[in-house]
Amino acid sequence: MKIYLDNNATTRPADEVIAAMLTCLREKFGNPSSAHSFGEAALAVVNGARETAAEFLSCPPTRITFTGGGSEANNLAIMSAVAAHPEKRHIISSPVEHDSVLNPLAHLAARGYEVEMLSVDRQGGIDPEKLLKKIRPDTCLVSLMGANNETGVIWPVKEIGRICGERGALYHCDAVQMAGKIELRSDFCDYLVIAAHKLHGPKGVGLLCSGRRAPLTPMIHGGSQEHGRRAGTENVPAIAGMAAALTLAMNKRANDGIKGLRKRIEQKIKKEIPGVLIVAEARPRLPNTVNACFRHCSGAGIAQDLDSRGIAVSTRSACHSGDIDPSHVLAAMGIPEEYLHGSIRISLSRYNTEEEIDLFLKILKEITTRAAKNFIA
Amino acid sequence: MKIYLDNNATTRPADEVIAAMLTCLREKFGNPSSAHSFGEAALAVVNGARETAAEFLSCPPTRITFTGGGSEANNLAIMSAVAAHPEKRHIISSPVEHDSVLNPLAHLAARGYEVEMLSVDRQGGIDPEKLLKKIRPDTCLVSLMGANNETGVIWPVKEIGRICGERGALYHCDAVQMAGKIELRSDFCDYLVIAAHKLHGPKGVGLLCSGRRAPLTPMIHGGSQEHGRRAGTENVPAIAGMAAALTLAMNKRANDGIKGLRKRIEQKIKKEIPGVLIVAEARPRLPNTVNACFRHCSGAGIAQDLDSRGIAVSTRSACHSGDIDPSHVLAAMGIPEEYLHGSIRISLSRYNTEEEIDLFLKILKEITTRAAKNFIA
């Protein structure tokens, strides 16, 4: 029995998603730009998916630009925001963002932009008051995520949006981990990004939802697809799959079971395994994410032992798997050294079962007990 | 019965391609960056696909960068080539390139680059001697396609490559229409681009093959996927589908039937329909492409009538469907005015049958005969 508990890295595409993709691959394979019935059928799929995405985000369909994924959409948002006001050269972000935000910002910093990082507290929170003080007349962009991929900590996006709006800075929100896990609108920010594969949709497709005052500057030049915002033949099957995933996520009861599973994990871990820190336990967090740090343990070692028993968890963002340094997110939070290296991230999906969780907890206890013994010895 | 003869716009994914994708969607859904068995299985798919692509192009796997499609790959190649030598500001291209080449070049022209266009002759050819004369010490890039999407005309890529190599200009070849239709290596140029959906692979995936002296400058910043050349979780199912499509295309007999079908079309059209010009008839052309211009007819009208009978052809590149102006490719070739508006492009695939072609020809004759009568009346 294999147990997949790494759903913040990627998710298994839902059966409904695969079915929607298969219809496009087998039947509606036309080019949406073609002026014949094959093209029209494909265009109808893309238009329908755009309507679904708009419904999911409570916005008009014209705001939606489909991209090749979340990373492309984050880059497109950031580069568009800075291009919108070339005279403004100050950017605010945080040290716990995803690489697809941090690295475009590093690219801009190398080109003369001043990138200022808001610090996070021990519980992974940021202080909107500090943001308010940091925004300057030359701040072109505030890039702050909705919820953290490693800890699940949710930020006060509405308040951030209000502050950015008042101060006239464009607000980009990487909502990749929020979408499908908690309710999400798009009207609190100027640029909002989702990736389908984080909510049981396919890889290779994401979207950027951009507001009325948020211009887009294309990164890929060519045909006039996506209202001229992103050239290239639309990835019709993936876009259809994304729409199917968003439809499933709009079922308000879709994730009802997840919170109970998470509670079960946290209670049991705290009760049965000594020296555990549940990261940001008291903070609003995504219902599917547990980041547990085992004192004087190697998180990578625990994850590896779990893997050898068929259980997939991670120690951090998948992009950084294999790094030896501790997580940049936990380090920025100031997690104490004796816990910092012992972190594992357990991220659930609506397809996980109690049976899976109980087996995982049993094996985790065995592994951590042995690890602790080895440490003492 | 529906008949699809617009395979230069996009193709129906092969059954083998869909099967490869389904395996990834259902079973190998992990994130290739994840350090557990689910991730490793996905990574093995990507690595295997890279080996297949390398075999297809006769190059080492490290040269292959998977992208979100041909347009992205063309943009990546062009922007990388100009970034490689920032002091060189002269670019040579042609007026018959695809929009995903022409528009990045227009973007560069607006930023001070001098973009010079090689003229094409009445048969869609270019003159390598002219290229030789135009290359200057400050020429950073020669961007010339392998085969034209509208006419099928094949250019002497080896000779172009030799000239560029001798003169020290980077050569980008948009080989999107060549791949899968005629034999293709990658060693004649510095940057070579393929899109999977043009050869019975899936949409949403392409590749850039870059040579040893051809540096890449990422457009999408983030994780270290694709050797740091293109951030973002790999589109594993689409990459697997592309590899399956390339494998099918490596069967040297895959397209054996196509040339016969094209001959049948051209002979019959010329024999039975008066006032037809087969564009670039005497030139080396892709075996699947016929561009036929009907004198004093509306190509769009013919295509529409064919569509109403269930037959899909096009009048030009899908990106331009719906335009009223004549094709920029045929206009650049100097096709006479009385033929220019009467063009239809018939592009075949290995899945077309003689039966389909005969029915198409019968209906085409009816339509063009009626169109000619209407013109005379």
Side-chain angles (χ1 to χ4, degrees):
Chain A
M1 183 176 177
K2 285 232 182 195
I3 303 177
Y4 188 72
L5 303 176
D6 195 12
N7 289 281
N8 286 8
T10 194
T11 56
R12 183 168 70 74
D15 292 342
E16 294 86 341
V17 167
I18 297 174
M21 294 179 75
L22 271 179
T23 301
C24 296
L25 289 165
R26 287 183 179 146
E27 294 156 34
K28 300 182 180 180
F29 63 82
N31 186 324
S33 297
S34 293
H36 47 58
S37 65
F38 293 84
E40 283 161 5
L43 183 61
V45 170
V46 175
N47 288 343
R50 201 182 309 280
E51 300 267 350
T52 303
E55 186 189 348
F56 182 82
L57 289 170
S58 313
C59 71
T62 50
R63 303 277 166 87
I64 306 292
T65 303
F66 289 114
T67 68
S71 290
E72 182 192 325
N74 276 333
N75 277 258
L76 180 58
I78 290 168
M79 297 309 170
S80 293
V82 302
H85 298 286
E87 74 289 358
K88 297 184 175 185
R89 310 280 290 181
H90 179 242
I91 297 169
I92 299 171
S93 186
S94 87
V96 299
E97 302 294 319
H98 188 262
D99 273 358
S100 61
V101 170
L102 292 177
N103 284 348
L105 294 182
H107 178 80
L108 290 168
R111 273 145 197 82
Y113 280 82
E114 185 186 344
V115 181
E116 201 171 348
M117 293 298 187
L118 271 186
S119 59
V120 296
D121 62 28
R122 256 296 299 276
Q123 300 292 316
I126 51 159
D127 181 357
E129 285 300 311
K130 277 192 193 160
L131 171 65
L132 186 68
K133 282 178 196 149
K134 278 194 194 294
I135 297 183
R136 313 186 313 212
D138 67 334
T139 304
C140 54
L141 169 66
V142 173
S143 181
L144 292 171
M145 66 204 323
N148 188 271
N149 46 320
E150 296 194 14
T151 63
V153 171
I154 299 166
W155 281 351
V157 293
K158 281 184 193 167
E159 200 177 345
I160 296 169
R162 193 182 45 72
I163 291 169
C164 293
E166 280 172 13
R167 296 296 168 111
L170 290 167
Y171 173 23
H172 160 238
C173 179
D174 170 2
V176 163
Q177 293 293 344
M178 258 182 161
K181 294 170 189 162
I182 57 173
E183 223 186 305
L184 184 62
R185 294 179 57 91
S186 61
D187 51 5
F188 64 86
C189 68
D190 299 295
Y191 300 98
L192 182 135
V193 167
I194 299 180
H197 78 100
K198 304 289 191 183
L199 65 155
H200 303 290
K203 294 178 179 62
V205 62
L207 67 78
L208 170 58
C209 177
S210 52
R212 242 181 315 156
R213 60 170 196 148
L216 285 194
T217 301
M219 291 201 303
I220 304 173
H221 305 274
S224 56
Q225 292 92 348
E226 296 296 309
H227 308 291
R229 296 167 184 159
R230 194 229 183 221
T233 300
E234 298 88 338
N235 190 351
V236 184
I239 289 171
M242 181 169 197
L246 294 174
T247 300
L248 290 171
M250 278 191 275
N251 172 356
K252 286 196 195 316
R253 315 215 49 182
N255 293 330
D256 273 4
I258 287 185
K259 232 173 174 163
L261 295 182
R262 188 182 70 171
K263 200 172 167 188
R264 199 181 186 93
I265 292 172
E266 296 189 351
Q267 283 181 342
K268 190 107 173 190
I269 284 180
K270 283 193 291 181
K271 195 174 145 202
E272 303 202 352
I273 305 175
V276 178
L277 171 73
I278 306 290
V279 177
E281 188 174 4
R283 280 284 162 77
R285 280 180 297 149
L286 295 175
N288 80 316
T289 308
V290 183
N291 194 316
C293 295
F294 299 87
R295 189 152 51 106
H296 295 309
C297 281
S298 155
I302 295 171
Q304 209 175 325
D305 287 350
L306 285 167
D307 183 39
S308 71
R309 308 282 295 266
I311 299 170
V313 302
S314 67
T315 57
R316 60 177 71 190
S317 161
C319 299
H320 284 281
S321 299
D323 288 10
I324 288 166
D325 296 335
S327 148
H328 75 286
V329 173
L330 301 187
M333 290 167 65
I335 299 291
E337 186 67 22
E338 70 263 34
Y339 287 101
L340 194 55
H341 297 266
S343 150
I344 65 168
R345 176 184 72 180
I346 303 139
S347 48
L348 308 169
S349 89
R350 72 177 84 111
Y351 300 116
N352 288 125
T353 62
E354 271 188 25
E355 188 196 358
E356 287 180 333
I357 297 308
D358 287 344
L359 183 56
F360 157 67
L361 287 166
K362 181 173 160 284
I363 293 171
L364 178 68
K365 197 184 167 186
E366 290 172 25
I367 289 169
T368 51
T369 306
R370 202 171 51 231
K373 267 194 199 139
N374 289 348
F375 183 78
I376 292 161
Chain B
M1 183 179 179
K2 286 229 181 195
I3 303 175
Y4 187 73
L5 304 176
D6 195 12
N7 289 282
N8 286 8
T10 194
T11 56
R12 183 168 70 73
D15 292 343
E16 294 86 341
V17 167
I18 297 175
M21 294 179 74
L22 271 178
T23 302
C24 296
L25 289 164
R26 287 184 180 143
E27 293 156 36
K28 300 182 178 178
F29 63 84
N31 186 325
S33 298
S34 292
H36 46 58
S37 65
F38 293 84
E40 282 160 6
L43 182 62
V45 170
V46 175
N47 288 343
R50 203 182 307 281
E51 301 266 350
T52 303
E55 187 189 347
F56 181 82
L57 290 170
S58 313
C59 71
T62 49
R63 303 276 166 88
I64 306 291
T65 304
F66 290 114
T67 67
S71 290
E72 182 192 326
N74 276 333
N75 276 257
L76 181 57
I78 290 169
M79 298 307 171
S80 293
V82 301
H85 298 286
E87 74 290 357
K88 297 185 176 186
R89 310 282 286 181
H90 179 242
I91 297 169
I92 299 171
S93 186
S94 88
V96 300
E97 300 295 318
H98 188 262
D99 273 358
S100 61
V101 170
L102 292 177
N103 285 347
L105 294 183
H107 177 80
L108 290 168
R111 273 146 197 82
Y113 280 83
E114 184 186 345
V115 181
E116 200 172 350
M117 293 299 184
L118 270 187
S119 58
V120 296
D121 62 28
R122 255 297 299 278
Q123 299 293 315
I126 51 161
D127 181 357
E129 285 301 311
K130 277 193 192 160
L131 171 64
L132 186 68
K133 283 178 196 149
K134 277 193 195 294
I135 297 182
R136 312 187 315 212
D138 67 333
T139 303
C140 54
L141 170 65
V142 172
S143 180
L144 292 171
M145 65 204 324
N148 189 271
N149 46 319
E150 296 194 13
T151 63
V153 171
I154 300 166
W155 281 351
V157 293
K158 280 186 194 165
E159 201 177 344
I160 296 169
R162 192 182 45 74
I163 292 169
C164 293
E166 279 171 14
R167 296 297 167 111
L170 290 166
Y171 173 23
H172 160 237
C173 180
D174 170 2
V176 163
Q177 293 293 345
M178 258 181 162
K181 293 169 190 163
I182 56 174
E183 224 186 305
L184 184 63
R185 295 178 58 90
S186 62
D187 51 6
F188 64 86
C189 68
D190 300 294
Y191 300 98
L192 182 134
V193 167
I194 299 181
H197 78 100
K198 305 286 191 185
L199 67 154
H200 303 289
K203 294 177 178 63
V205 63
L207 67 77
L208 171 57
C209 176
S210 52
R212 243 182 314 158
R213 59 169 197 153
L216 285 194
T217 302
M219 293 201 304
I220 304 173
H221 305 274
S224 56
Q225 293 91 350
E226 296 296 310
H227 307 291
R229 296 168 185 160
R230 195 232 183 215
T233 301
E234 298 89 340
N235 189 352
V236 185
I239 289 170
M242 182 167 195
L246 294 174
T247 300
L248 290 172
M250 277 190 277
N251 173 356
K252 287 197 195 314
R253 314 216 48 181
N255 294 330
D256 272 4
I258 287 186
K259 231 172 176 164
L261 295 181
R262 189 183 71 170
K263 199 171 168 190
R264 200 180 185 91
I265 292 173
E266 295 189 350
Q267 283 181 340
K268 190 107 172 189
I269 283 181
K270 284 193 290 182
K271 192 174 148 204
E272 302 201 354
I273 304 175
V276 179
L277 172 74
I278 305 291
V279 176
E281 189 175 2
R283 280 283 161 78
R285 281 181 296 148
L286 295 175
N288 81 317
T289 308
V290 183
N291 194 317
C293 295
F294 299 88
R295 188 153 51 106
H296 295 311
C297 281
S298 156
I302 295 171
Q304 209 174 325
D305 287 351
L306 285 167
D307 183 39
S308 71
R309 308 282 294 268
I311 299 170
V313 301
S314 67
T315 57
R316 60 178 71 190
S317 160
C319 298
H320 283 281
S321 299
D323 287 11
I324 289 166
D325 296 336
S327 147
H328 75 284
V329 174
L330 301 188
M333 290 167 65
I335 297 291
E337 186 68 22
E338 70 264 32
Y339 287 101
L340 194 55
H341 298 267
S343 149
I344 65 168
R345 176 184 72 181
I346 303 139
S347 48
L348 307 170
S349 90
R350 74 178 83 111
Y351 299 115
N352 287 125
T353 62
E354 270 188 26
E355 190 196 357
E356 288 181 333
I357 297 308
D358 288 344
L359 183 55
F360 157 67
L361 287 168
K362 181 172 160 285
I363 293 172
L364 178 68
K365 196 184 168 188
E366 290 170 27
I367 289 170
T368 50
T369 306
R370 202 170 53 233
K373 269 192 198 141
N374 289 347
F375 182 77
I376 293 160

